[in-house]
Amino acid sequence: MEEKRKHPRAGLSFDVTVWKVSVEDEAGTQWDGESLDLSPGGVKVRFPGELAPGTMVTLIFSPPDGGPIITARASVVRKDQKGHSFAFARLSYGDYLRLQKMVKART
């Protein structure tokens, strides 16, 4: 089967906060989760919520490189038994390079 991913992924586990805000719920809904894998283009997260593909959220996490917290806008790409896969929609270039370096060191 041909690999369709644009970015390589590394199995990394760290805490992730998933935060969804909508017009109907200005306060938003927040879940605490755990990453399953990471790439510079997205992350897979296990958390107790249910989000449909296309849903936009804010992800807040500290990767295990000891650097500062990353806050990124992301959209749900798919959900399976293991968790939700998110594609980063808004991530600073510096954070992109940081994630790229971390993944490269682990693949």
Side-chain angles (χ1 to χ4, degrees), residues 40 70-73 88-99:
I70 292 176
T71 300
R73 293 288 291 161
F88 296 129
R90 195 175 315 137
L91 179 70
S92 76
Y93 184 65
D95 287 338
Y96 173 86
L97 292 176
R98 180 177 161 203
L99 297 181

Side-chain angles (χ1 to χ4, degrees), residues 5 22 50 66 82:
R5 290 191 173 129
S22 66
E50 289 292 328
K82 294 180 183 177

Side-chain angles (χ1 to χ4, degrees), residues 8-105:
R9 292 189 172 261
L12 288 168
S13 178
F14 50 86
D15 294 336
V16 179
T17 298
V18 179
W19 184 39
K20 178 183 175 282
V21 177
S22 66
V23 174
E24 301 83 26
D25 181 12
E26 291 179 16
T29 304
Q30 181 175 306
W31 298 276
D32 292 326
E34 178 185 8
S35 71
L36 301 173
D37 63 38
L38 175 71
S39 83
V43 63
K44 187 166 195 168
V45 181
R46 179 177 37 236
F47 67 99
E50 289 292 328
L51 298 173
T55 303
M56 290 296 296
V57 299
T58 298
L59 301 176
I60 304 165
F61 57 96
S62 286
D65 66 349
I69 291 172
I70 292 176
T71 300
R73 293 288 291 161
S75 63
V76 178
V77 176
R78 73 182 72 64
K79 181 189 184 312
D80 60 26
Q81 312 88 303
K82 294 180 183 177
H84 289 75
S85 295
F86 294 94
F88 296 129
R90 195 175 315 137
L91 179 70
S92 76
Y93 184 65
D95 287 338
Y96 173 86
L97 292 176
R98 180 177 161 203
L99 297 181
Q100 186 178 48
K101 183 179 178 181
M102 275 192 331
V103 169
K104 187 174 183 176

